[in-house]
Amino acid sequence: MILSPHIKTSKSIQQPSNSTQPNKANMADLNESIEESQENNNLPKVFLHGPPEFSFILQPNPSHNFHILNPSSLPPLHQFLSLNPHHASSIAAIVCTGGYTVNADVLQLLPALRLVCTPSAGTDHIDLSECRRRGIQVAGAGNLFSEDVADMAVALLIDVSRKISAADRFLRRQVQNVSWNFPLGSKLTGKKIGIVGMGRIGSEVAKRLEAFSCMISYNSRNKKPLVSYPYYSTVLELATDTNVLILCCDLNDQTRHIVNKEVMLALGKGGIIVNVGRGALIDEKELLKCLIEDEIGGAGLDVFENEPHVPKDFFSLDNVVLSPHAAVVTSESLMGIRQIVEQNLTAFFSNKAPITPVI
Amino acid sequence: MESIDVLLVAQVLPYLEQELSKRYNLFRICDYPQKSQFLTQHGALIRAVVGNGSCGADSELIDALPNLEIVSSFSVGVDKIDLNKCKEKGICVTNTPDVLTDDVADLAIGLMLTLLRRICECDRFVRSGDWKHGDYKLTTKFSGKTVGIIGLGRIGTAIAKRAEGFNCSICYYSRTQKQEPKYKYYPNVVELASNCDILVVACSLTDETHHIINREVINALGPKGFLINIGRGKHVDEPELVSALLEGRLGGAGLDVFENEPHVPEELFGLENVVLLPHVGSGTVETRTAMADLVLGNLEAHFLGKPLLTPLV
């Protein structure tokens, strides 16, 4: 789900020498390194909010116009603040990974916070309205991940339509030299595609599928004046008129389970659902039922309601393709996101606007 | 129409087989384990052969059917038909161009995406429960890569158009340079392979293009390069491909076709940087039905003395 575990295998990136879980033995080290950091008193303070491996995201550099409080050992925020209460009122920015919540409770602990920097495609882990209320800016990943996520959406769609993963599985299990008898797939070119969420990712998906002569229409919170594709005000209407639904929208109170049983039945037998948004956009139990009962044709899923737990019943289905929340996990995105975080912090602390603002 | 004897030499869509049965006196070669006996007894009656991409009409078969008038192939590839002999004897040959172009191009892009992004491996990773113990590793971005196409015909052009939607740069090699200023032409395959990230074979199989992907081309493509074959297995020197993959001299391969189908080199089964498909390029209900209609339409036209729909050009 996050890029950080992969830093260990990436040759091009320097590793901090010790990325270990904080424990009693290195509490002393923690205090020592905090004392050293007093020398950088004048620079605004940045805290890395994530698991130990998240230290990959930003490495100390003398040219920085900010100071990272916890560059190599990443204690949980609560633990860090209880050991260093004076820092509570000095942390000006946090870099937080997807899955590490930044809600009112967290913001309460950081009265001096002015910027939240999140190197993830989604922002559902951040209470954006609370940040807005407190005048805290939020910077995201901008367009960095859009291409990789769009590529994943199209990959899943082609795979489900043409049964690529199922066919590869079939061939590797096949007894040699027996004639191949593999079921036919369904044609993708020219299909009617309904995109739910026409933001950066939705637009990149649309652009790719237009090259397959697909007919694009969409649903979004509001009609986009600069978008020429037909707009549908509800996902239900969109599903009724299309063969494929691709979910590219944010997860929030309005979009939870936006794809429910009614929508799936409207999409119909032979219909395909692709989800590169968040698992909870779909009623997962209902999806499983519809797939098993052939009410819809198939599904390509990169996200699930309770990752990394995927209901076992999916595993025996040949009309689904399952992906471990890997839409942004490419070498190219890894290199790019570290650059973006650094650029956002540098700009912000030079009194400029963040490069990739979310709000 | 009088009863016309048609010989079906390959497995085809059930719909096609049913229609052939209804319209003609259909013989299925697979019903006759003693093929030569059948040909001796019935060969002279056969006026049409229906085959597919894997099994057509070779010299031996044509010789055994003295009254053969037409070979109608349920495929666009005709490398399994002895075209010279057909020409000599005035036997018409038809295939199924255009109707399968989109499906094959869709599959080519599908192979590129599933190979670079390790979609099949990721799917296995989730189904095995491994995701509970950690994330899958880094994969390779597809958008923006340089795609090299061998053969810029109908299928090659359709692949290029789709790849452009992903901001890919397109370069190509073909027998003659095309009027296509957007795409860079290379005069030979080794140079093309040296200058692209993903090399896709989209030309027809002829004597000239047999093993067009050889050791030199594979080495030029290199450990960060990827090969996609949606043409014919014999376009690729398969043992060379296998050793390159095992030795890490090639980044990966997406293969819909093999030299000796249905045989697949076993060494490939243990690799995670390959995607292997059982020749499904045109394998959709919509396209196989359209192909079947072309076969039927061509036969009908021929026996009514009308112009053929898709004679081989």
Side-chain angles (χ1 to χ4, degrees):
Chain A
M1 171 171 144
I2 49 174
L3 290 169
S4 51
H6 311 293
I7 191 69
K8 294 192 171 80
T9 56
S10 171
K11 291 187 192 130
S12 61
I13 293 162
Q14 299 289 356
Q15 291 302 300
S17 48
N18 270 310
S19 288
T20 53
Q21 293 272 13
N23 56 36
K24 284 185 186 151
N26 55 25
M27 278 312 168
D29 294 329
L30 213 65
N31 283 326
E32 247 178 58
S33 62
I34 301 306
E35 277 161 19
E36 276 168 3
S37 81
Q38 299 303 339
E39 291 166 7
N40 295 298
N41 233 346
N42 295 328
L43 294 176
K45 308 291 183 286
V46 176
F47 183 82
L48 304 183
H49 185 45
E53 316 83 78
F54 191 51
S55 54
F56 87 96
I57 196 72
L58 195 60
Q59 241 106 81
N61 191 313
S63 65
H64 282 162
N65 60 354
F66 51 85
H67 173 69
I68 308 168
L69 284 176
N70 57 341
S72 49
S73 61
L74 262 63
L77 179 64
H78 286 91
Q79 189 177 46
F80 178 82
L81 290 178
S82 63
L83 286 168
N84 305 279
H86 55 286
H87 276 305
S89 52
S90 74
I91 293 175
I94 57 171
V95 183
C96 70
T97 188
Y100 271 62
T101 314
V102 177
N103 55 17
D105 291 337
V106 170
L107 294 173
Q108 194 106 316
L109 298 171
L110 304 167
L113 191 67
R114 293 185 284 135
L115 174 69
V116 175
C117 205
T118 181
S120 60
T123 51
D124 46 298
H125 56 293
I126 299 174
D127 189 336
L128 296 175
S129 43
E130 188 61 24
C131 286
R132 220 178 266 116
R133 197 181 69 79
R134 290 166 178 258
I136 296 170
Q137 294 198 262
V138 180
N143 229 5
L144 175 71
F145 296 135
S146 310
E147 288 189 327
D148 271 337
V149 180
D151 288 357
M152 170 65 76
V154 178
L156 290 172
L157 177 55
I158 302 180
D159 194 330
V160 175
S161 305
R162 301 297 300 274
K163 304 185 191 294
I164 295 180
S165 288
D168 179 278
R169 236 182 350 258
F170 162 85
L171 208 53
R172 288 181 201 239
R173 277 194 316 238
Q174 178 79 325
V175 173
Q176 282 281 37
N177 301 315
V178 170
S179 309
W180 293 330
N181 205 358
F182 188 76
L184 295 176
S186 82
K187 184 169 176 164
L188 174 60
T189 290
K191 280 278 190 318
K192 293 195 278 186
I193 312 286
I195 298 181
V196 181
M198 190 49 85
R200 279 181 287 245
I201 294 172
S203 311
E204 293 288 343
V205 173
K207 175 179 161 215
R208 280 151 180 72
L209 289 173
E210 277 195 291
F212 290 73
S213 306
C214 286
M215 295 181 307
I216 313 289
S217 39
Y218 74 104
N219 162 262
S220 200
R221 226 174 347 202
N222 304 300
K223 186 173 196 294
K224 308 261 176 182
L226 299 174
V227 170
S228 56
Y229 311 124
Y231 172 76
Y232 286 78
S233 52
T234 68
V235 176
L236 182 61
E237 286 168 332
L238 185 67
T240 309
D241 267 5
T242 54
N243 312 117
V244 174
L245 278 183
I246 304 186
L247 310 184
C248 306
C249 59
D250 286 334
L251 177 66
N252 52 50
D253 292 331
Q254 291 77 46
T255 61
R256 178 165 296 272
H257 283 198
I258 200 170
V259 174
N260 55 19
K261 180 174 179 168
E262 209 189 347
V263 167
M264 289 187 250
L265 293 180
L267 188 63
K269 296 181 197 282
I272 294 174
I273 299 177
V274 171
N275 191 2
V276 291
R278 284 290 178 268
L281 291 171
I282 304 181
D283 181 341
E284 204 165 85
K285 284 199 183 71
E286 242 348 289
L287 174 66
L288 202 41
K289 207 154 164 281
C290 286
L291 286 165
I292 292 169
E293 293 170 8
D294 274 320
E295 293 292 352
I296 61 167
L301 308 169
D302 186 45
V303 285
F304 301 85
E305 289 207 78
N306 189 21
E307 295 170 14
H309 299 283
V310 176
K312 277 199 311 271
D313 288 339
F314 277 115
F315 300 162
S316 51
L317 297 176
D318 266 348
N319 56 352
V320 296
V321 177
L322 309 168
S323 173
H325 202 149
V328 306
V329 188
T330 63
S331 314
E332 291 85 344
S333 274
L334 174 64
M335 288 195 289
I337 195 57
R338 298 172 77 233
Q339 265 186 335
I340 286 199
V341 166
E342 195 169 56
Q343 285 168 356
N344 270 302
L345 289 169
T346 305
F348 185 76
F349 290 123
S350 311
N351 290 321
K352 297 187 195 139
I355 314 253
T356 50
V358 172
I359 54 165
Chain B
M1 207 186 289
E2 84 266 25
S3 179
I4 296 169
D5 289 23
V6 174
L7 178 62
L8 179 63
V9 297
Q11 203 180 13
V12 296
L13 191 68
Y15 157 70
L16 177 57
E17 202 176 312
Q18 280 152 23
E19 284 299 310
L20 287 170
S21 274
K22 276 191 223 163
R23 300 170 190 212
Y24 306 107
N25 198 19
L26 186 68
F27 294 89
R28 297 167 187 77
I29 200 99
C30 56
D31 288 343
Y32 302 93
Q34 300 283 57
K35 181 172 148 186
S36 47
Q37 199 177 39
F38 164 77
L39 290 173
T40 314
Q41 287 173 350
H42 299 283
L45 297 169
I46 302 294
R47 292 171 64 187
V49 162
V50 173
N52 69 5
S54 308
C55 191
D58 60 12
S59 178
E60 201 189 323
L61 181 69
I62 295 170
D63 280 337
L65 306 172
N67 292 306
L68 183 62
E69 297 166 27
I70 178 169
V71 177
S72 188
S73 194
F74 184 61
S75 69
V76 71
V78 287
D79 44 287
K80 293 290 171 116
I81 299 174
D82 190 330
L83 299 174
N84 286 331
K85 193 136 213 178
C86 287
K87 197 167 173 189
E88 242 176 76
K89 296 193 158 208
I91 298 169
C92 305
V93 178
T94 69
N95 61 347
T96 60
D98 296 318
V99 293
L100 48 61
T101 300
D102 288 330
D103 266 356
V104 178
D106 290 355
L107 193 76
I109 301 290
L111 278 171
M112 292 180 206
L113 281 164
T114 52
L115 180 60
L116 268 66
R117 297 297 300 269
R118 296 276 194 274
I119 304 289
C120 309
E121 283 299 309
C122 280
D123 180 277
R124 265 188 273 277
F125 185 77
V126 176
R127 285 178 202 248
S128 66
D130 282 345
W131 192 15
K132 295 201 194 116
H133 310 302
D135 286 328
Y136 191 74
K137 53 193 169 190
L138 288 170
T139 60
T140 305
K141 182 173 180 166
F142 173 63
S143 277
K145 290 289 185 291
T146 300
V147 175
I149 304 176
I150 300 177
L152 204 65
R154 287 172 291 244
I155 293 174
T157 303
I159 293 172
K161 176 180 166 223
R162 284 155 178 72
E164 284 186 292
F166 294 82
N167 304 321
C168 291
S169 313
I170 309 294
C171 44
Y172 71 101
Y173 162 79
S174 68
R175 258 173 321 193
T176 54
Q177 188 168 358
K178 310 278 176 182
Q179 296 276 39
E180 192 38 270
K182 276 190 297 179
Y183 309 151
K184 189 171 164 71
Y185 173 74
Y186 285 96
N188 64 68
V189 183
V190 173
E191 236 185 292
L192 180 68
S194 308
N195 287 287
C196 68
D197 302 305
I198 302 167
L199 183 64
V200 53
V201 183
C203 58
S204 55
L205 181 65
T206 62
D207 291 334
E208 291 79 43
T209 63
H210 180 263
H211 283 193
I212 197 171
I213 305 294
N214 55 21
R215 190 182 181 94
E216 208 191 344
V217 171
I218 292 170
N219 285 339
L221 195 47
K224 291 208 168 88
F226 301 93
L227 176 71
I228 304 290
N229 192 4
I230 45 89
R232 284 289 178 265
K234 292 195 194 295
H235 277 126
V236 175
D237 182 336
E238 208 161 80
E240 278 298 339
L241 174 66
V242 173
S243 64
L245 286 164
L246 293 174
E247 292 165 22
R249 286 183 283 114
L250 181 65
L255 309 169
D256 186 39
V257 285
F258 301 87
E259 284 214 75
N260 296 300
E261 294 169 20
H263 180 263
V264 176
E266 255 126 34
E267 300 93 319
L268 296 179
F269 292 150
L271 297 176
E272 56 172 48
N273 59 342
V274 298
V275 177
L276 309 170
L277 299 179
H279 203 152
V280 293
S282 62
T284 65
V285 176
E286 296 91 329
T287 292
R288 291 280 168 85
T289 306
M291 288 163 67
D293 287 337
L294 265 184
V295 170
L296 294 166
N298 274 302
L299 289 173
E300 186 177 55
H302 172 77
F303 290 117
L304 288 174
K306 292 195 178 144
L308 297 171
L309 303 180
T310 50
L312 203 63
V313 178

